[in-house]
Amino acid sequence: MGTSSEAASSRRQTRLRREYLYRKSLQGKEKASYEQKRLVRAALAAGKKLPTELRASYDKLATEIQQEDSKTQVQKTHVDDEYGDAGLEDPRVCVTTSRDPSSRLKQFAKEVKLLFPNSVRINRGNNRVDELIESCKQSEFTDVVVVQETRGEPDGLVVCHLPLGPTAFFTLSGAVLRHDLEGGAQPMSEAYPHIILNNFNTDLGKRIGNVLKCLFPVPRPDSRRLVTFSNDNDFTSFRHHMYSKSGKNEVTLHEVGPRFEMRLYQLRLGTLDQKDAENEYVLRPYQNTATKRQIL
């Protein structure tokens, strides 16, 4: 029975991936058609002549424009397939570590698990990456978060969205665990947090903001828990606070922890086990113009 269900799940994942790649292959044609219809709308609205290259296909384009509504006239991308269900159901996050973790990395993974509501921390053991991803797909997790280390210091974070991707790779620095905070940490709340995304202005920045935002469920309006991702010169500072109202117009912030700095170095259009998937972004810090570019 278990073998047949695993085979059915594998066939389903293969079918979903094939359909996703097919829709992604059509994006070039859809983008060209969208641009043509945009030019037709602009010409009709301004009362100007149609561009010469569009006059032969005007009848077909006009028919399509008349049949569109506010939703279908907007161009769809692979992002809509990846996060099409965001906000409809609460995300389920699986948190794990690299192999043979140190005690400090285990503690850091526990604190990362507490950050995400509805999350589960599992021991990595000797599981390969493809086994880990397949197990998470069968368990219907929406995301996998892997924390990594060098000589006992957390220095890597991987966020993989399931079942289609993307996968974002971050370097970590300056990780401070809850018990290392000055004055001690405040008690950890399990309420759904409000998310603050600061200074993610570029297209890639909005994309990364979407990846991070979709790790958290929609909070209640009266939630007093805050999670902040603040971008400064492509370095993202993570902070976790609770707030309390001490007066009519006064609010006091209490840091809960942990805290760390992140930097994106790769964004892959697939899951963690797909080594040959297309890269949407790769950090190249040694190019001559690297210091002049603002990525996020």
Side-chain angles (χ1 to χ4, degrees):
M1 185 66 180
T3 304
S4 61
S5 62
E6 291 177 3
S9 175
S10 178
R11 288 195 300 270
R12 178 176 178 271
Q13 296 298 336
T14 303
R15 175 176 55 81
L16 288 175
R17 184 67 184 171
R18 189 187 303 117
E19 291 175 354
Y20 166 72
L21 291 174
Y22 174 71
R23 289 193 298 271
K24 189 172 182 298
S25 68
L26 297 178
Q27 280 188 26
K29 298 178 182 178
E30 293 176 353
K31 184 175 182 180
S33 176
Y34 170 79
E35 186 64 22
Q36 289 177 349
K37 287 185 282 189
R38 187 188 66 81
L39 293 175
V40 170
R41 286 195 195 95
L44 294 177
K48 297 181 180 179
K49 291 184 178 181
L50 289 174
T52 306
E53 65 273 12
L54 298 180
R55 292 176 184 174
S57 57
Y58 169 73
D59 291 338
K60 178 183 177 182
L61 293 173
T63 302
E64 293 180 2
I65 291 173
Q66 291 174 358
Q67 295 173 345
E68 291 177 341
D69 56 21
S70 58
K71 290 186 177 180
T72 56
Q73 71 179 6
V74 179
Q75 184 187 10
K76 301 294 184 181
T77 67
H78 61 273
V79 180
D80 299 299
D81 291 328
E82 294 167 347
Y83 291 101
D85 297 332
L88 300 179
E89 296 182 358
D90 290 347
R92 293 186 67 235
V93 181
C94 174
V95 179
T96 187
T97 65
S98 53
R99 290 185 179 179
D100 193 21
S102 65
S103 58
R104 180 171 171 81
L105 187 67
K106 290 179 181 177
Q107 180 62 32
F108 183 69
K110 290 179 182 178
E111 297 186 5
V112 170
K113 182 263 177 189
L114 293 175
L115 292 176
F116 305 120
N118 306 323
S119 62
V120 176
R121 184 182 67 87
I122 65 173
N123 294 325
R124 176 67 179 273
N126 290 322
N127 291 327
R128 302 194 309 269
V129 171
D130 55 342
E131 295 173 343
L132 174 67
I133 297 300
E134 184 62 31
S135 175
C136 290
K137 286 180 180 179
Q138 292 180 2
S139 301
E140 296 185 347
F141 284 104
T142 60
D143 296 271
V144 178
V145 175
V146 182
V147 289
Q148 301 166 334
E149 67 177 344
T150 298
R151 297 185 181 90
E153 187 64 27
D155 69 344
L157 182 74
V158 181
V159 179
C160 175
H161 185 67
L162 299 177
L164 301 174
T167 303
F169 299 81
F170 300 90
T171 57
L172 294 187
S173 60
V176 179
L177 276 60
R178 280 169 46 80
H179 63 269
D180 294 331
L181 292 173
E182 296 181 5
Q186 296 293 317
M188 177 78 79
S189 170
E190 294 187 1
Y192 292 178
H194 293 286
I195 311 301
I196 300 175
L197 298 172
N198 179 48
N199 203 26
F200 290 87
N201 300 322
T202 66
D203 290 340
L204 181 60
K206 294 175 182 177
R207 176 92 157 116
I208 294 302
N210 197 41
V211 170
L212 298 174
K213 173 179 66 178
C214 290
L215 293 171
F216 299 88
V218 179
R220 295 177 58 180
D222 59 349
S223 175
R224 298 196 173 191
R225 185 181 176 194
L226 301 173
V227 167
T228 305
F229 295 94
S230 181
N231 174 51
D232 182 18
N233 197 27
D234 296 336
F235 287 87
T236 302
S237 299
F238 173 85
R239 298 294 185 271
H240 181 203
H241 294 90
M242 294 289 294
Y243 76 88
S244 61
K245 294 183 179 179
S246 53
K248 184 176 181 180
N249 296 318
E250 296 181 0
V251 174
T252 304
L253 280 178
H254 310 280
E255 186 168 6
V256 179
R259 68 162 74 161
F260 48 83
E261 312 298 319
M262 308 162 56
R263 189 180 190 188
L264 177 73
Y265 69 87
Q266 185 179 1
L267 182 63
R268 185 189 297 166
L269 287 178
T271 53
L272 185 57
D273 57 329
Q274 295 170 343
K275 303 295 184 182
D276 298 328
E278 178 184 352
N279 286 322
E280 187 171 344
Y281 166 75
V282 177
L283 175 66
R284 293 183 173 87
Y286 301 109
Q287 290 183 347
N288 291 335
T289 58
T291 57
K292 304 176 185 178
R293 291 194 300 263
Q294 294 296 318
I295 304 302
L296 301 180

